[in-house]
């Protein structure tokens, strides 16, 4: 008997047949004697549809408060349907919105952070033998305005609830049956991992792996919530995301991922003086534009070049900002290249094994793939390459690190 939080993503609740299928799994978990809190996403495609409507209605300028009020409705549909399906099968279940369960967030619409969850309320309902079906992705600020946590945010809702009620573990059900060494759609030799550490999963999510919302992994790590990634379409045990152990250290590289949603920006021939980088990047942070890799060349004759990556969706805004700022800092010109991708290898074993970087670089070189930018962390190496080489790079790196067999 355990206290379990189960999160089902949009593809798992995409239609009534799938909702019935999920209901059966919830019932099995409940009948095995567990207390179950279920967190749901909207039906697949629904949040996109609502967002498109908001944009169409306002010429792409919806007010954030009303945008959140609209896009949060997708989850209201799935939680109420799920609860009534469970009721119709003879089980006590109750749907709850973010406001009803008092998931309090800051007031940062579209990217709100959870501040508090009423755990006592959830636990008292569970004590009455009800299955709780909670809307993911949403909360309310202190004034009661509806907020959302950022796209893909219901993973984060689920882990936050699991942490608040001290659940034994959190399971997220999706359309893949775990975390793979790389995207199986890109390379059929990808292998499913039984276990991965929070830190590796964080690096993989940050570097483009879409299986879990990055903040859900941060929270899982912070509160030490064991997190299973499983498929709602089979009974496979999935991948456990957990604290690192000795076995994990042996794996030099555990995952390879790629991100095609970045663009490369070059600010060329800038005076190399104190305060320049601050001036350049402040306007981005003020608009919550996430700048990822940043490289500054060694200066020559008092001038330098700055190269960095930004999300492709922000290109227009960055162009406008740089139009002004690049003149302010005296840059010669600005160059934006959307035709890139970032390929990353991640592994705890990198801490204790040398040679991962050189193996990555020589493997890419052997295929004639030029490396445009490099960045590293303790357990990750990322390279920016031409977009057309993405799949090739993933495959040759997967082979080079013998990832289909593991260490
Ligand atoms: N329905 C929301 C989205 O599509 C939240 C989620 O799926 O996690 O972004
Ligand atoms: Mg989703």
């Amino acid at each position: 008997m355990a206290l379990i939080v189960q999160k089902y993503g949009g593809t798992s609740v995409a239609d009534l047949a799938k909702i019935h299928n999920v209901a059966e799994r919830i019932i099995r978990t409940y009948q095995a004697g567990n207390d179950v809190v279920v967190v749901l996403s909207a039906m697949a495609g629904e949040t996109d549809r609502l967002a498109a409507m908001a944009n169409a209605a306002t010429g792409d300028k919806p007010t954030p408060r009303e945008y959140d009020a609209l896009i949060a409705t997708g989850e209201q549909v799935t939680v109420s349907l799920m609860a009534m399906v469970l009721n119709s099968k003879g089980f006590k279940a109750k749907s709850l919105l973010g406001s009803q369960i008092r998931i309090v967030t800051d007031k940062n619409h579209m990217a709100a952070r959870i501040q508090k969850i009423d755990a006592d309320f959830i636990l008292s309902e569970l004590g009455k033998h009800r299955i709780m079906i909670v809307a993911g992705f949403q909360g309310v600020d202190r004034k009661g305005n509806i907020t959302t946590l950022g796209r893909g945010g219901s993973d984060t809702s689920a882990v936050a609830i699991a942490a608040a009620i001290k659940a034994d573990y959190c399971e997220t059900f999706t359309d893949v049956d775990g975390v793979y060494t790389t995207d199986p759609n890109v390379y059929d030799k990808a292998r499913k991992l039984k276990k991965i550490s929070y830190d590796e999963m964080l690096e993989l999510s940050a570097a483009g792996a879409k299986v879990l919302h990055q903040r859900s992994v941060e929270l899982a790590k912070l509160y030490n919530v064991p997190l299973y990634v499983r498929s709602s379409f089979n009974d496979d045990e999935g991948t456990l995301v957990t604290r690192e152990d000795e076995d994990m250290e042996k794996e030099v590289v555990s995952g390879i991922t790629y991100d095609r949603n970045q663009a490369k920006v070059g600010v060329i021939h800038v005076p190399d003086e104190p305060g320049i980088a601050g001036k350049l990047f402040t306007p981005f942070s003020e608009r919550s534009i996430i700048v990822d890799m940043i490289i500054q060349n060694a200066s020559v004759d008092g001038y330098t070049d700055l190269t960095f990556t930004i999300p492709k969706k922000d290109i227009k805004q960055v162009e406008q900002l740089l139009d002004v700022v690049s003149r302010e800092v005296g840059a010669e010109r600005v160059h934006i290249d959307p035709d890139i991708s970032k390929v990353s290898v991640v592994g705890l074993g990198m801490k204790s094994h040398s040679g991962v970087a050189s193996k990555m670089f020589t493997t890419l070189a052997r295929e004639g793939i030029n490396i445009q930018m490099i960045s590293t962390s303790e357990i990750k190496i990322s390279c920016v390459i031409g977009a057309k080489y993405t799949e090739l790079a993933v495959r040759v790196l997967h082979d080079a690190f013998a990832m289909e067999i593991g260490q």
Side-chain angles (χ1 to χ4, degrees):
M1 212 195 113
L3 174 54
I4 305 172
V5 175
Q6 293 189 329
K7 180 259 173 180
Y8 294 90
T11 49
S12 304
V13 292
D15 54 41
L16 290 183
K18 294 203 171 93
I19 287 181
H20 272 271
N21 181 42
V22 167
E24 291 301 331
R25 189 188 288 270
I26 296 169
I27 290 169
R28 282 205 302 280
T29 315
Y30 179 73
Q31 284 186 325
N34 302 300
D35 285 325
V36 196
V37 178
V38 175
V39 176
L40 298 182
S41 295
M43 291 181 179
E46 180 63 7
T47 313
D48 285 339
R49 191 183 71 85
L50 293 165
M53 236 192 325
N55 287 328
T58 60
D60 289 337
K61 289 202 174 54
T63 38
R65 181 185 186 279
E66 305 312 328
Y67 183 83
D68 272 354
L70 178 67
I71 64 168
T73 60
E75 274 73 12
Q76 184 164 355
V77 173
T78 49
V79 291
S80 48
L81 275 171
M82 185 64 75
M84 67 177 84
V85 166
L86 287 166
N87 294 156
S88 75
K89 291 177 191 279
F91 290 86
K92 285 203 276 182
K94 208 178 197 179
S95 72
L96 289 161
L97 301 178
S99 53
Q100 293 172 307
I101 206 176
R102 294 184 276 273
I103 298 181
V104 178
T105 71
D106 60 21
K107 51 185 198 254
N108 192 14
H109 285 290
M110 291 143 77
R113 287 186 168 256
I114 297 176
Q115 295 176 331
K116 217 176 92 212
I117 291 178
D118 192 344
D120 292 343
F121 176 64
I122 304 173
L123 292 169
S124 84
E125 290 285 321
L126 289 174
K128 294 177 202 149
H129 303 291
R130 288 205 180 91
I131 302 171
M132 309 296 285
I133 315 289
V134 180
F137 181 51
Q138 56 178 262
V140 278
D141 70 11
R142 289 187 188 269
K143 291 195 175 140
N145 299 302
I146 296 169
T147 54
T148 63
L149 308 182
R151 296 304 307 273
S154 14
D155 292 339
T156 298
S157 313
V159 175
I161 290 170
I165 63 173
K166 302 195 169 58
D168 291 293
Y169 54 89
C170 177
E171 297 175 303
T172 74
F173 291 88
T174 168
D175 50 357
V176 294
D177 54 7
V179 180
Y180 278 73
T181 49
T182 195
D183 182 351
N185 296 316
V186 166
Y187 201 22
D188 55 10
K189 286 191 183 158
R191 176 173 54 92
K192 198 182 77 204
L193 299 163
K194 270 198 149 52
K195 253 199 286 192
I196 189 166
S197 68
Y198 294 125
D199 286 329
E200 288 169 304
M201 196 62 236
L202 271 177
E203 291 282 15
L204 286 172
S205 306
K210 283 174 207 73
V211 62
L212 284 170
H213 196 234
Q214 196 185 332
R215 272 175 36 222
S216 71
V217 188
E218 287 168 11
L219 277 182
K221 180 183 173 189
L222 190 61
Y223 294 101
N224 202 15
V225 179
L227 182 58
Y228 287 90
V229 179
R230 302 182 60 187
S231 163
S232 56
F233 305 116
N234 63 42
D235 283 325
D236 200 286
E237 66 178 36
T239 302
L240 171 62
V241 189
T242 183
R243 264 194 301 207
E244 71 182 76
D245 61 31
E246 276 165 24
D247 280 0
M248 293 173 174
E249 286 273 0
K250 290 193 199 119
E251 211 78 51
V252 179
V253 174
S254 340
I256 299 182
T257 191
Y258 59 90
D259 183 358
R260 277 193 251 251
N261 297 317
Q262 301 278 315
K264 187 176 78 169
V265 183
V267 182
I268 317 291
H269 206 66
V270 202
D272 190 9
E273 291 159 9
I276 296 290
K279 264 193 206 141
L280 260 178
F281 292 114
T282 304
F284 299 156
S285 68
E286 281 169 0
R287 284 160 187 83
S288 302
I289 294 171
I290 295 170
V291 178
D292 184 27
M293 297 163 100
I294 302 177
I295 290 176
Q296 181 176 335
N297 291 353
S299 81
V300 179
D301 298 332
Y303 287 89
T304 184
D305 302 329
L306 279 151
T307 315
F308 50 94
T309 60
I310 53 153
K312 269 199 183 121
K313 67 171 174 48
D314 295 325
I315 288 183
K316 249 204 239 153
Q317 225 189 340
V318 167
E319 244 167 7
Q320 287 165 359
L321 291 174
L322 281 178
D323 219 30
V324 182
V325 190
S326 69
R327 239 172 294 155
E328 269 174 35
V329 299
E332 188 184 283
R333 64 195 161 87
V334 170
H335 175 76
I336 300 186
D337 182 2
D339 224 10
I340 56 129
S341 80
K342 185 176 75 177
V343 175
S344 308
V345 304
V346 171
L348 276 181
M350 269 183 221
K351 286 194 215 170
S352 47
H353 293 71
S354 60
V356 177
S358 64
K359 191 172 208 170
M360 180 175 192
F361 305 153
T362 48
T363 304
L364 295 176
R366 212 176 305 127
E367 301 298 324
I369 301 172
N370 183 39
I371 300 169
Q372 306 179 19
M373 294 171 83
I374 298 168
S375 78
T376 61
S377 78
E378 204 180 10
I379 60 165
K380 180 186 75 180
I381 304 171
S382 303
C383 292
V384 167
I385 59 173
K388 66 178 179 198
Y389 297 115
T390 312
E391 282 90 355
L392 175 64
V394 166
R395 284 187 221 120
V396 294
L397 289 169
H398 201 276
D399 284 347
F401 289 104
M403 296 181 69
E404 76 274 20
I405 40 178
Q407 258 78 43

